[in-house]
Amino acid sequence: MTYARYQTLENADQLEAALREVGAERYHILHPFHRLLHTGRLTRGQVQAWALNRYYYQSRIPMKDAALMSRCADRELRREWLVRILDHDGFGEQEGGIARWLRLCQGLGLDPDYVRSEEGILPATRFAVDAYVRFVREQTLLEAVASSLTELFAPKIHEERIPGLLQNYDFVSEEMVAYFRRRLDQAPRDAGFALAYVREHADTAEKRFAVVKALIFKCDVLWAQLDALHHAYVLGGGIPKGAFVPADLPAQEAA
Amino acid sequence: MTYARYQTLENADQLEAALREVGAERYHILHPFHRLLHTGRLTRGQVQAWALNRYYYQSRIPMKDAALMSRCADRELRREWLVRILDHDGFGEQEGGIARWLRLCQGLGLDPDYVRSEEGILPATRFAVDAYVRFVREQTLLEAVASSLTELFAPKIHEERIPGLLQNYDFVSEEMVAYFRRRLDQAPRDAGFALAYVREHADTAEKRFAVVKALIFKCDVLWAQLDALHHAYVLGGGIPKGAFVPADLPAQEAA
């Protein structure tokens, strides 16, 4: 069994070490598509494809968080978790992360109505993201919280991405990276809470194993989205029918 | 809107023509991975990866069919649909299609326990297949029936695959293609029933559009599975951590 070493974690410190090991091995900062994105080796059309597909992920995050809250009888946990929805959807005068992501898409030259229509996304994006929402809806509350722990590793990717995008692409402006700048503060706060939560509530080896598997699952969700982008838009595996076709793509590469 | 032309189908004949058009454009017989598979251009390890991942799809088909039956108050439809579960799971002395698929895997040199463990499959396989089971569980009964209509196009792929495998790979024996030979008879019977069902029950333009979209969804489910295989095992996009690594794969291609 691949994950046998995670079945016998004895305490919260061992759990945390295991979670950090999973991140070091599986977080999508390691994915070749991100290496290309952050070092300026993608075309504008490829960056558009990334932003368009990632929008679908962003758009489902508050649904995921609401699903978690809908199952949670603990008011304190709900009050804490609500911050995530406020961050993404915004409230009152706050525009929120999804609106910032849409501005990134628009800055890249995508029509916001097209982005919001979800028409051009890869089916694999939809399958992976929907799997995440359903995981949070259907697994235990502990596993649902644990699946958010990829945010432990998010600041590093944003620190790499912000200068990577700004310095390498003349079509990326400061305003377009606003989403990532905000996440630099938001993600550590959220991740810190979730980490403390699983450290406290995963009080048996079985639960600690479930927490680790939830994080592996979530890493798979993120990785699969990049695999699909890499395949369709970089390696020439063919763009599935109905999915976005960048204007700068050589015609023969469209399936 | 990409599918605008399917929104105004006026009758059952136009519906059937639309369904056949979708199949001609999107059925996975057109996928480059199948072209490689059927013309002998894959290694044994790549064929193993295909059979292993496809096993997960096979294993979920009776669950999908049971989900459909669980929502169906029409005894006649349940009696008809039960044939599919009998075909796949077997009953009494009939071993069924899943057992035949396992023998294919075993003939290819895979340990059946490993195959059944589902450990080595690509996360993208799981996301796509699970999306199919949930679609059948959650959409209307009409859409659930319609999503089975890829079987209209299955005989052609099996007619190509049986000689393609037998003639091109010395590690494939007659016994190993038993699954496909049986499907040559089973699929047309099932597809004929489902086609007659949607022709009769999709009695508004809106329902006919929903039927077409269900078939497009299903084609996406099949296509995404091959994209993931093609990416990980053919184009060198990297094998996700934990997924099957063929023995004949050059070491540097593993992620």
Side-chain angles (χ1 to χ4, degrees):
Chain A
M1 163 62 175
T2 320
Y3 314 128
R5 68 187 183 281
Y6 300 134
Q7 283 181 306
T8 53
L9 301 171
E10 289 178 10
N11 53 49
D13 286 344
Q14 287 188 10
L15 171 61
E16 182 171 340
L19 294 169
R20 295 191 183 280
E21 182 178 278
V22 167
E25 288 181 355
R26 292 170 176 262
Y27 188 56
H28 63 172
I29 196 171
L30 301 167
H31 196 285
F33 189 89
H34 272 157
R35 303 257 56 73
L36 299 174
L37 176 66
H38 297 167
T39 56
R41 282 178 288 165
L42 296 183
T43 67
R44 184 158 170 268
Q46 289 167 330
V47 178
Q48 286 175 327
W50 166 71
L52 174 74
N53 278 273
R54 177 84 186 189
Y55 173 81
Y56 185 72
Y57 177 79
Q58 302 295 344
S59 77
R60 290 314 189 263
I61 295 301
M63 293 166 67
K64 180 273 291 183
D65 288 320
L68 188 145
M69 290 175 64
S70 79
R71 314 172 49 204
C72 175
D74 174 351
R75 176 165 164 267
E76 286 309 312
L77 178 55
R78 286 201 309 273
R79 283 164 57 89
E80 172 63 33
W81 215 263
L82 186 63
V83 175
R84 296 165 182 250
I85 298 186
L86 294 173
D87 282 348
H88 275 87
D89 278 340
F91 187 74
E93 295 188 354
Q94 303 288 327
E95 64 171 357
I98 293 175
R100 281 189 282 274
W101 195 276
L102 262 182
R103 280 197 282 121
L104 168 63
C105 293
Q106 202 164 2
L108 289 168
L110 292 165
D111 175 351
D113 288 338
Y114 176 70
V115 176
R116 272 190 297 251
S117 78
E118 305 171 5
E119 271 182 37
I121 64 169
L122 297 167
T125 300
R126 190 182 299 275
F127 299 149
V129 171
D130 291 357
Y132 180 35
V133 178
R134 289 175 200 282
F135 182 94
V136 171
R137 201 181 285 157
E138 296 173 4
Q139 300 303 111
T140 65
L141 190 61
L142 179 66
E143 289 166 296
V145 171
S147 67
S148 75
L149 284 169
T150 43
E151 302 212 17
L152 281 172
F153 319 114
K156 197 171 157 200
I157 207 170
H158 293 142
E159 281 164 16
E160 179 179 294
R161 181 173 297 156
I162 294 168
L165 292 178
L166 285 173
Q167 289 163 22
N168 292 310
Y169 300 103
D170 56 14
F171 50 83
V172 174
S173 67
E174 177 61 39
E175 197 215 0
M176 288 159 67
V177 300
Y179 175 86
F180 308 112
R181 291 219 188 273
R182 286 300 289 272
R183 294 306 295 161
L184 283 173
D185 300 323
Q186 294 169 344
R189 179 206 59 208
D190 293 348
F193 175 84
L195 180 61
Y197 184 92
V198 301
R199 282 182 62 107
E200 180 185 346
H201 290 83
D203 52 10
T204 66
E206 196 181 358
K207 287 184 197 171
R208 286 185 283 270
F209 184 41
V211 164
V212 174
K213 282 192 295 185
L215 179 59
I216 290 174
F217 163 81
K218 172 65 173 304
C219 288
D220 287 346
V221 165
L222 297 176
W223 196 272
Q225 291 175 67
L226 293 181
D227 268 358
L229 282 166
H230 197 215
H231 183 68
Y233 295 107
V234 179
L235 293 185
I239 299 171
K241 266 220 182 302
F244 172 67
V245 180
D248 58 18
L249 188 84
Q252 69 276 15
E253 284 190 37
Chain B
M1 162 63 173
T2 321
Y3 315 129
R5 67 188 185 281
Y6 299 133
Q7 283 181 307
T8 53
L9 302 170
E10 289 177 9
N11 53 48
D13 286 344
Q14 288 188 9
L15 171 61
E16 181 170 339
L19 294 169
R20 294 192 184 280
E21 182 177 277
V22 167
E25 289 181 355
R26 293 171 175 261
Y27 189 56
H28 64 172
I29 195 171
L30 301 167
H31 196 284
F33 188 90
H34 272 157
R35 302 257 57 75
L36 299 173
L37 176 68
H38 296 168
T39 55
R41 284 177 287 165
L42 297 183
T43 67
R44 183 158 171 271
Q46 289 167 329
V47 178
Q48 286 176 327
W50 165 72
L52 175 74
N53 278 274
R54 175 85 185 186
Y55 173 81
Y56 184 72
Y57 177 80
Q58 302 294 345
S59 76
R60 290 313 188 264
I61 295 300
M63 292 166 68
K64 180 272 291 184
D65 288 320
L68 189 145
M69 290 176 64
S70 77
R71 315 173 50 205
C72 175
D74 174 351
R75 176 166 165 265
E76 284 310 312
L77 178 55
R78 288 201 308 274
R79 283 165 57 88
E80 172 63 34
W81 216 262
L82 186 63
V83 175
R84 295 165 183 251
I85 298 186
L86 294 172
D87 283 349
H88 275 86
D89 279 339
F91 189 75
E93 296 190 353
Q94 303 287 327
E95 62 171 359
I98 293 175
R100 280 190 283 275
W101 195 275
L102 262 182
R103 281 198 281 119
L104 168 63
C105 293
Q106 201 164 4
L108 290 169
L110 292 165
D111 176 351
D113 287 338
Y114 176 70
V115 176
R116 272 190 296 252
S117 78
E118 305 171 6
E119 270 182 40
I121 65 169
L122 297 167
T125 300
R126 191 181 300 275
F127 299 149
V129 171
D130 291 358
Y132 181 35
V133 177
R134 291 175 199 280
F135 182 95
V136 171
R137 201 181 284 157
E138 295 172 3
Q139 301 302 111
T140 66
L141 190 61
L142 179 65
E143 289 166 296
V145 171
S147 67
S148 75
L149 284 169
T150 44
E151 301 213 16
L152 281 172
F153 320 113
K156 197 171 157 201
I157 207 169
H158 293 142
E159 281 164 16
E160 179 179 293
R161 180 173 297 157
I162 294 168
L165 292 177
L166 285 173
Q167 290 164 23
N168 293 311
Y169 300 103
D170 56 14
F171 51 82
V172 174
S173 68
E174 178 60 39
E175 198 214 1
M176 287 159 65
V177 300
Y179 175 86
F180 308 112
R181 291 217 188 276
R182 285 299 289 274
R183 294 304 298 162
L184 284 174
D185 300 325
Q186 293 168 344
R189 178 207 58 208
D190 292 348
F193 175 83
L195 180 60
Y197 184 93
V198 300
R199 283 183 60 108
E200 181 184 344
H201 289 83
D203 51 11
T204 65
E206 196 181 358
K207 288 184 196 171
R208 285 186 283 270
F209 184 42
V211 164
V212 174
K213 282 192 295 184
L215 179 59
I216 289 173
F217 164 81
K218 173 66 174 301
C219 287
D220 287 345
V221 165
L222 297 175
W223 196 272
Q225 290 174 69
L226 293 180
D227 268 358
L229 282 166
H230 197 216
H231 183 69
Y233 295 108
V234 178
L235 294 186
I239 298 171
K241 267 221 182 296
F244 173 68
V245 180
D248 58 18
L249 187 84
Q252 70 275 17
E253 286 191 35

